[in-house]
Amino acid sequence: MRKTIQALSLLLFTAFFALASYRLPDWLPADLYLRLDPLLGLNALLASREMIGRVLWSLILIGATLAAGRFFCAYICPLGAAIDGFDFLLFRKVRRAVLRTDSTLRRGKYALLIVFFAAAATGAALVYFMDPIALLTRFYAFFLYPLLLTIINLLLDILRPLFQGWGWVGLSHLHYPQPVYYMAAVTLLIFGAVIGLNRLAPRFWCRYLCPLGALLSLISPLGVFRRRVSAECNRCMVCQKGCPMGAIGEDPLKTGSADCIQCRECARICPQKAISFPVSFSGVGEYSGLDLSRRGFVYSVGGGLTLGFLSLRTPFASLQGRRQLIRPPGALPETAFLRTCIRCGECMKSCVTNTLQPSLWESGFAGLWTPKLELRMAACEPNCNVCGKVCPTQAIRSLSLEEKTHAKIGTAVLRKESCLVWAQNKLCLICDEICPYNAIVFRPVEGYRRPVVIASRCNGCGYCEQRCPVQGPSAIVVAPDGEIRLAEGSYIREARTLQLEFKPDPGDDKYLLEESGFK
Amino acid sequence: MSGDSGVISRRQFIITTAAGVATCVAGYPSFLHAAEEVDLAVISGEPATATRKALEVLGGIARFVKKGQRVIIKPNMSFARTPDFAATTHPQVVVAVARACIDAGAKEVLVLDHTLQRAELCLERAGIRDACRNIPGVHVLALQDRKFFREIRIPQGKVLERVEVVMDILDNAVLINVPVAKSHSTTGVSLGLKGLMGLIWDRESFHSQFNINQAIADLATVIKPQLTIIDATRAMVTGGPGGPGDVRKPNLIIAGVDPVAVDSYGVGIVPWYGQNFKGRQVEHLLAAYQRGLGKIDVEKLNIYKGTV
């Protein structure tokens, strides 16, 4: 029963992940799991000091946990399901003794929780690193999804001769564009570590590390389902050994309510059938395992503040906007963006052209995994606005296509010294050909038509940079200059105020006549 | 690859010769008559009806498509633009041609292009895939991977020695080119011959490495559509090829066997960038004409003009 619900939840998570793509309908919350996560939401609220509408969704999970305890971990959490699944595959036959450091380690997750909240208080949103939903979404986006498409394309290639033989035209021409991402290896390593730690103890991650589990366990003892052991118990200790969370201590009659995830494994394996989980409205469960010492608390707060300091007080912060870093259209102003973005990778997964990529060190420690545009590889598609739609904390605002068109992300700059036309008098007009806004026009200079960028018509989509046929770096590059980043309000109005127009106006093309294919 | 230099022209030569001999032997002069018929059909009207009429004037699609043959239709659907931008071929023109081919007994019809923007976006926006959805045997494909292309040599090439082209056109298929009429910032106009660039893998080198006008003429020596139908129901007279640009509505379908003649007529139907031109003034057309690929002087053509 539990496994079925777990599998269904993982499937649902996967389905929502798959739906986060160009065709996503407006009403469908593909980022549902991320929205439900109160840890991500609270951290973003605290770090950004702003109200975020989508974070209210997490009240559902908080309410459910208050009512029924920490069932999320056993039934809903997709990372929990993945951990259980891999546990069954890899470590089912491994005998795992109780770790001698169990009680110390158990405090670890609370220490981490405090570290993250203290860091958030300084304005550094770092919880993304260990939030289970963000972690799994990243793993899906940067590793699993590209791997899946590689396998599908490989199968298609292998079967292609058959398709051709049978005359199946559609299938014999089928090929999916292969998404690629930076940071895929790092993301895989982290996920691998989460799984590998299970070798030491079942659900190692959930017991000792998961900050979301820690947050939920703070309120879970209030839930109505309590483990009850009847007089039939003969202290055989089977339940204690079998509890995946190690929530049953020396006395099998007692339950660490904070650690209990209501999986009811103990009830299932009890030879005496002495364990049940009846509804009980009296009192509160036991808060065992929550005894972080005062010293530990102070250390954690200190650690969090230090992390916040280290990630924010760097030259990267002072150099904001002076670096070659193009953010997605609709991204909040940089400081707010860094505070709000939870690095889940949904925007990058859903990006129709694959231009959205996780940052490495471009904006320092505070900007790891944040989305940037890799315009030399692919452009930002004018007909797509999905990155904002799927952003669970609205670090990228969800904009209509019309608004998104006006959310200028930068301005194309011609590097005349490498441009084929400017430097070599060649007949190249690819940037003009591909520009969706006619922001590149040709003007006669020194007896030759040469491309010129009209900055007020360029919204930085990057088609020119991507398509420039010059080998190596493009001869036309989108720089952050002129980008519009609004925390609220209309981009269309702002663009109008700035006298920008991203509309067709082919008037300037008449200059073409002087030296075109026409003679 | 096996190299077959000039595989298309040689094969076509043999087929044409064989067909000619066969008709003479059989004593049916209809084939010769057909060849003497009009050079161009220029029909004014709604996209679908005008296209059908143009095919009829040229002797019916059966003249080009035989039972059981594979047909490749090459429209322009390279840009993720809706038809009203005139950056892509009108879906109804493609549908009319595709249906005619199927009705003539074609085994299958492949409507394909190597798109400039993401395949999915182009297919969705251009409307051709949707329009062809319910015609059995018609497949609309946007090819964006090198594995669907194969290198061939260009024996008569002046600037190009070899080029990678869509495999499907090498396979003894009938090729029908259905470009849209639009301006082009490099080549002046983009009609039939320029549209053939949608069948090659490395489009960019035409701009960066080679003289594009000569390269287009080179390409025309190896990719020879049996029929060219220009969709000039709308014409983007400035801002081409991607647009947005100034869209006129000549409401014309121009069809013919001679790719240079069809294009040359297409040049004259509207002023491009506000100025009138003739075929000879378009560099790539002139180059193709000089290679002997077709007639360029519209005055010397036998043109059927009609309205439907």
Side-chain angles (χ1 to χ4, degrees):
Chain A
M1 170 70 174
R2 184 178 73 89
K3 281 179 184 154
T4 316
I5 295 176
Q6 255 188 319
L8 283 176
S9 180
L10 186 61
L11 202 69
L12 192 66
F13 174 82
T14 312
F16 275 121
F17 176 84
L19 283 169
S21 68
Y22 167 63
R23 285 175 181 280
L24 181 72
D26 285 333
W27 54 267
L28 207 158
D31 53 330
L32 180 70
Y33 275 78
L34 293 149
R35 290 190 199 188
L36 287 175
D37 183 337
L39 180 66
L40 289 173
L42 286 174
N43 253 264
L45 290 183
L46 186 59
S48 68
R49 294 142 175 89
E50 292 282 345
M51 188 53 215
I52 302 167
R54 288 190 186 184
V55 167
L56 294 176
W57 283 71
S58 65
L59 289 175
I60 296 175
L61 182 52
I62 293 177
T65 307
L66 278 173
R70 199 178 152 186
F71 71 97
F72 175 82
C73 306
Y75 296 88
I76 312 292
C77 179
L79 185 62
I83 286 173
D84 280 353
F86 276 108
D87 197 72
F88 179 78
L89 289 174
L90 302 173
F91 307 125
R92 155 175 53 153
K93 290 179 183 153
V94 180
R95 293 190 139 264
R96 288 167 281 194
V98 177
L99 296 178
R100 229 176 306 154
T101 47
D102 180 77
S103 60
T104 321
L105 280 172
R106 208 168 276 277
R107 293 188 205 128
K109 58 179 180 289
Y110 298 106
L112 283 168
L113 185 67
I114 293 163
V115 165
F116 288 130
F117 273 105
T122 71
L126 299 174
V127 77
Y128 70 85
F129 192 74
M130 289 189 67
D131 179 89
I133 312 295
L135 192 153
L136 189 67
T137 310
R138 277 200 303 273
F139 171 70
Y140 264 55
F142 302 148
F143 181 75
L144 216 52
Y145 165 58
L147 176 70
L148 182 71
L149 286 184
T150 299
I151 292 170
I152 290 176
N153 279 332
L154 193 69
L155 288 175
L156 285 172
D157 281 346
I158 292 169
L159 296 174
R160 206 171 303 280
L162 280 178
F163 298 147
Q164 282 162 349
W166 292 328
W168 294 0
V169 178
L171 273 174
S172 60
H173 287 86
L174 190 60
H175 170 85
Y176 291 97
Q178 172 72 49
V180 286
Y181 295 99
Y182 295 121
M183 308 275 275
V186 184
T187 312
L188 174 64
L189 275 178
I190 293 171
F191 181 79
V194 169
I195 298 300
L197 283 171
N198 274 12
R199 174 70 184 70
L200 303 176
R203 283 203 169 224
F204 186 100
W205 166 267
C206 316
R207 285 189 198 200
Y208 306 130
L209 294 173
C210 180
L212 176 59
L215 181 69
L216 293 179
S217 77
L218 295 180
I219 52 174
S220 72
L222 301 170
V224 292
F225 297 104
R226 307 267 165 73
R227 177 170 171 269
R228 182 184 293 162
V229 186
S230 72
E232 302 287 306
C233 174
N234 58 1
R235 293 180 180 265
C236 68
M237 305 308 265
V238 166
C239 60
Q240 193 227 24
K241 288 190 194 102
C243 176
M245 290 300 287
I248 304 165
E250 297 296 306
D251 180 358
L253 300 182
K254 289 193 170 174
T255 315
S257 296
D259 285 310
C260 175
I261 57 173
Q262 316 266 347
C263 69
R264 308 189 180 198
E265 181 69 7
C266 49
R268 193 176 68 81
I269 56 178
C270 177
Q272 297 295 108
K273 300 272 170 260
I275 303 173
S276 59
F277 282 79
V279 174
S280 145
F281 290 101
S282 61
V284 173
E286 297 147 58
Y287 268 103
S288 60
L290 232 170
D291 50 347
L292 198 60
S293 63
R294 193 195 306 167
R295 178 174 300 224
F297 182 80
V298 171
Y299 282 170
S300 302
V301 171
L305 296 176
T306 310
L307 263 181
F309 171 78
L310 286 176
S311 68
L312 296 175
R313 296 288 172 264
T314 70
F316 288 107
S318 320
L319 285 170
Q320 257 178 28
R322 300 191 199 174
R323 294 181 161 261
Q324 178 61 28
L325 188 63
I326 307 290
R327 295 296 192 189
L332 298 175
E334 187 68 8
T335 304
F337 178 71
L338 289 175
R339 291 175 169 201
T340 315
C341 171
I342 52 164
R343 333 287 156 98
C344 58
E346 285 267 302
C347 54
M348 304 178 232
K349 186 275 162 181
S350 60
C351 177
V352 70
T353 63
N354 197 208
T355 182
L356 276 189
Q357 291 289 328
S359 301
L360 296 150
W361 211 251
E362 290 89 337
S363 53
F365 183 57
L368 284 175
W369 272 297
T370 51
K372 62 166 181 183
L373 279 83
E374 193 66 87
L375 294 173
R376 187 61 169 140
M377 188 172 82
C380 179
E381 169 57 45
N383 298 316
C384 170
N385 57 350
V386 73
C387 53
K389 277 200 237 175
V390 300
C391 180
T393 52
Q394 291 297 287
I396 307 170
R397 292 171 58 193
S398 184
L399 302 173
S400 68
L401 271 181
E402 179 73 0
E403 280 283 335
K404 180 253 179 183
T405 301
H406 290 79
K408 183 177 166 88
I409 53 176
T411 309
V413 179
L414 251 159
R415 290 178 173 160
K416 292 178 182 169
E417 68 279 8
S418 54
C419 172
L420 295 173
V421 189
W422 280 95
Q424 301 175 36
N425 288 347
K426 278 194 176 162
L427 258 185
C428 175
L429 300 101
I430 287 181
C431 52
D432 173 39
E433 171 176 314
I434 198 76
C435 176
Y437 304 103
N438 275 353
I440 297 165
V441 297
F442 275 73
R443 296 200 164 143
V445 179
E446 292 163 10
Y448 213 79
R449 295 173 305 126
R450 299 178 201 276
V452 176
V453 177
I454 310 283
S456 64
R457 281 198 224 147
C458 172
N459 78 354
C461 73
Y463 265 108
C464 51
E465 180 174 341
Q466 183 213 350
R467 286 282 166 174
C468 176
V470 170
Q471 306 271 301
S474 177
I476 184 163
V477 174
V478 177
D481 185 43
E483 65 171 356
I484 306 176
R485 309 271 291 263
L486 300 177
E488 53 187 21
S490 162
Y491 287 88
I492 299 175
R493 198 178 312 138
E494 181 70 12
R496 261 191 215 131
T497 315
L498 296 168
Q499 299 194 311
L500 308 176
E501 195 179 18
F502 309 117
K503 279 263 164 72
D505 176 10
D508 260 26
D509 268 353
K510 57 180 175 288
Y511 290 103
L512 277 176
L513 289 177
E514 304 185 2
E515 215 174 299
S516 66
F518 290 128
K519 279 196 167 165
Chain B
M1 64 155 277
S2 55
D4 310 42
S5 57
V7 64
I8 293 173
S9 52
R10 190 199 298 159
R11 180 176 289 150
Q12 277 181 341
F13 174 72
I14 293 167
I15 290 170
T16 319
T17 318
V21 171
T23 14
C24 290
V25 169
Y28 281 102
S30 63
F31 173 82
L32 299 169
H33 270 300
E36 283 170 8
E37 274 178 12
V38 294
D39 293 310
L40 294 183
V42 180
I43 311 295
S44 170
E46 288 302 303
T49 41
T51 307
R52 284 196 290 270
K53 177 70 179 168
L55 290 174
E56 184 196 314
V57 170
L58 290 176
I61 192 78
R63 181 179 156 199
F64 310 97
V65 179
K66 303 280 176 274
K67 253 198 171 62
Q69 273 186 309
R70 258 160 79 92
V71 181
I72 311 295
I73 296 178
K74 160 66 181 76
N76 192 323
M77 48 180 185
S78 262
F79 294 90
R81 296 271 193 206
T82 47
D84 47 313
F85 280 91
T88 54
T89 308
H90 198 294
Q92 287 312 316
V93 175
V94 180
V95 166
V97 180
R99 258 192 211 287
C101 294
I102 292 290
D103 291 346
K107 186 174 76 170
E108 60 200 14
V109 176
L110 272 58
V111 180
L112 49 82
D113 196 4
H114 174 193
T115 57
L116 275 173
Q117 279 166 281
R118 281 255 162 172
E120 185 50 37
L121 295 162
C122 294
L123 291 174
E124 182 188 280
R125 291 243 143 191
I128 292 173
R129 181 175 61 182
D130 274 351
C132 291
R133 187 150 276 157
N134 294 322
I135 317 175
V138 179
H139 306 269
V140 182
L141 309 163
L143 305 177
Q144 280 200 314
D145 198 84
R146 202 170 188 162
K147 64 186 161 208
F148 301 117
F149 294 76
R150 199 192 295 157
E151 191 176 86
I152 59 165
R153 284 206 235 143
I154 307 181
Q156 301 164 48
K158 281 196 175 160
V159 294
L160 284 183
E161 274 184 18
R162 50 193 71 231
V163 64
E164 284 171 75
V165 302
V166 172
M167 268 193 258
D168 297 274
I169 64 164
L170 300 175
D171 198 18
N172 211 4
V174 180
L175 178 61
I176 302 176
N177 194 9
V178 193
V180 66
K182 56 180 173 175
S183 53
H184 193 280
S185 44
T186 314
T187 56
V189 285
S190 173
L191 303 168
L193 292 185
K194 171 70 183 66
L196 296 178
M197 272 176 69
L199 292 172
I200 66 170
W201 170 247
D202 183 11
R203 304 169 64 140
E204 252 131 56
S205 66
F206 273 41
H207 293 271
S208 57
Q209 269 178 281
F210 309 109
N211 175 325
I212 187 168
N213 295 307
Q214 290 297 330
I216 291 172
D218 280 355
L219 195 61
T221 65
V222 285
I223 303 183
K224 296 186 167 179
Q226 277 83 338
L227 180 61
T228 303
I229 304 168
I230 297 180
D231 161 28
T233 54
R234 307 132 301 134
M236 193 207 298
V237 295
T238 63
D246 197 0
V247 177
R248 300 284 175 81
K249 293 203 169 149
N251 283 320
L252 290 178
I253 294 290
I254 308 156
V257 175
D258 175 343
V260 183
V262 178
D263 276 14
S264 187
Y265 188 90
V267 173
I269 54 169
V270 278
W272 303 97
Y273 304 104
Q275 213 167 307
N276 291 306
F277 292 96
K278 292 192 160 183
R280 276 180 184 273
Q281 290 171 287
V282 178
E283 216 174 319
H284 69 265
L285 278 185
L286 187 65
Y289 164 70
Q290 285 163 346
R291 310 272 180 95
L293 296 172
K295 301 177 199 161
I296 199 165
D297 296 314
V298 174
E299 310 77 50
K300 296 177 189 163
L301 298 173
N302 180 12
I303 302 173
Y304 176 98
K305 292 189 185 179
T307 308
V308 285

